[in-house]
Amino acid sequence: MARISQAVGDGALVDVGAGTGSYEPDRTTVLAVEPSRRMLAQRAGPAAPAVQAVAEQLPLRDDAADVTLAVLTVHHWGDWRRGLAELRRVSSRQVIVAYETRLHAEFWLTRDYIPEIARLEVSRPSATDIADELGAENVSVLPVPWDFTDGVFPAYWRRPEAYLDARVRWNCSALAQTDAAAVSRGVERLRRDLESGRWHERHRDLLGRDELDVGFRLVTRDGRG
């Protein structure tokens, strides 16, 4: 969150694909845009005003904000290129958190247990695709700590037991959107490997690490120059 806030800087911010507002810098957000009514209903506390709309058609005039923020949302957009064009239309600066889909497709849970996830991942725009389309000046790595509290797909890279929990799996779009039978088969294989100690033997190199690059990237474009 500190990296995101630093990239956003000062000025009026529009958070696109805002969800419940988990990654909104409180001091600068003036408007949140979210298509899901359920997500909007979960916005709590001093959250910024929000409207129900999609990234591909933002209800804002040209240059309405200083910066637009999009955190782990572009891969869900129906027309991601059009959405990025909208971000550029309404703000001079853009800050996007995305991920390299190749690394998610190569993640141990995908590679060893649920290879069906790879088909979904390669169909999504990667951080590199997004940066190229946006004309971003900077792309930096956002490593994931071993005890990361946000339950995104590879967050439990050193805590494999978490993937046995259905609540964890439903919080990860890559798992929730993959064939349920394939996920069940993979989870059962993982369960057996954890019980036998095979997983820990195969991935002993991960157990001593504090953080890992699992593909997340901070993409920024400053159009003021």
Side-chain angles (χ1 to χ4, degrees):
M1 188 62 216
R3 293 276 300 278
I4 293 172
S5 295
Q6 182 180 18
V8 166
D10 298 321
L13 168 70
V14 174
D15 186 8
V16 180
T20 61
S22 300
Y23 286 96
E24 284 176 12
D26 294 335
R27 59 189 173 83
T28 55
T29 303
V30 295
L31 182 69
V33 178
E34 167 58 42
S36 169
R37 187 170 298 176
R38 179 178 296 182
M39 288 287 189
L40 289 171
Q42 294 178 43
R43 294 176 64 83
V51 295
Q52 186 177 18
V54 296
E56 297 90 335
Q57 192 171 357
L58 296 174
L60 296 164
R61 61 172 172 77
D62 294 357
D63 300 315
D66 297 301
V67 58
T68 42
L69 172 67
V71 178
L72 295 178
T73 178
V74 176
H75 60 282
H76 291 303
W77 297 353
D79 185 341
W80 62 274
R81 290 183 175 85
R82 182 178 175 185
L84 294 180
E86 279 288 271
L87 298 190
R88 293 186 57 161
R89 180 182 66 80
V90 303
S91 70
S92 59
R93 291 187 288 133
Q94 295 83 41
V95 176
I96 296 176
V97 177
Y99 65 94
E100 294 294 356
T101 54
R102 176 186 58 81
L103 291 182
H104 276 209
E106 296 172 354
F107 181 52
W108 62 257
L109 184 63
T110 305
R111 184 188 63 240
D112 300 336
Y113 298 99
I114 315 174
E116 292 82 0
I117 292 174
R119 289 198 292 269
L120 172 64
E121 294 297 356
V122 298
S123 71
R124 292 172 160 178
S126 70
T128 299
D129 297 329
I130 292 167
D132 289 346
E133 181 71 19
L134 192 66
E137 295 95 354
N138 187 62
V139 178
S140 57
V141 175
L142 289 176
V144 172
W146 76 270
D147 56 351
F148 195 39
T149 56
D150 188 333
V152 290
F153 173 52
Y156 305 99
W157 57 268
R158 212 184 89 176
R159 295 170 289 167
E161 296 84 0
Y163 294 111
L164 304 181
D165 188 335
R167 294 170 299 179
V168 168
R169 297 196 299 273
W170 279 106
N171 193 53
C172 306
S173 64
L175 288 166
Q177 295 176 9
T178 298
D179 177 70
V183 173
S184 295
R185 288 193 300 268
V187 168
E188 184 54 34
R189 287 195 295 269
L190 175 60
R191 187 189 310 276
R192 292 196 299 267
D193 283 357
L194 289 173
E195 291 173 352
S196 69
R198 186 184 183 200
W199 186 93
H200 292 81
E201 179 66 24
R202 293 179 66 182
H203 300 287
R204 62 175 64 184
D205 60 308
L206 297 179
L207 301 178
R209 302 192 61 165
D210 292 328
E211 62 181 25
L212 186 70
D213 176 11
V214 292
F216 293 112
R217 301 290 184 264
L218 183 64
V219 179
T220 57
R221 174 186 175 271
D222 188 342
R224 294 174 299 183

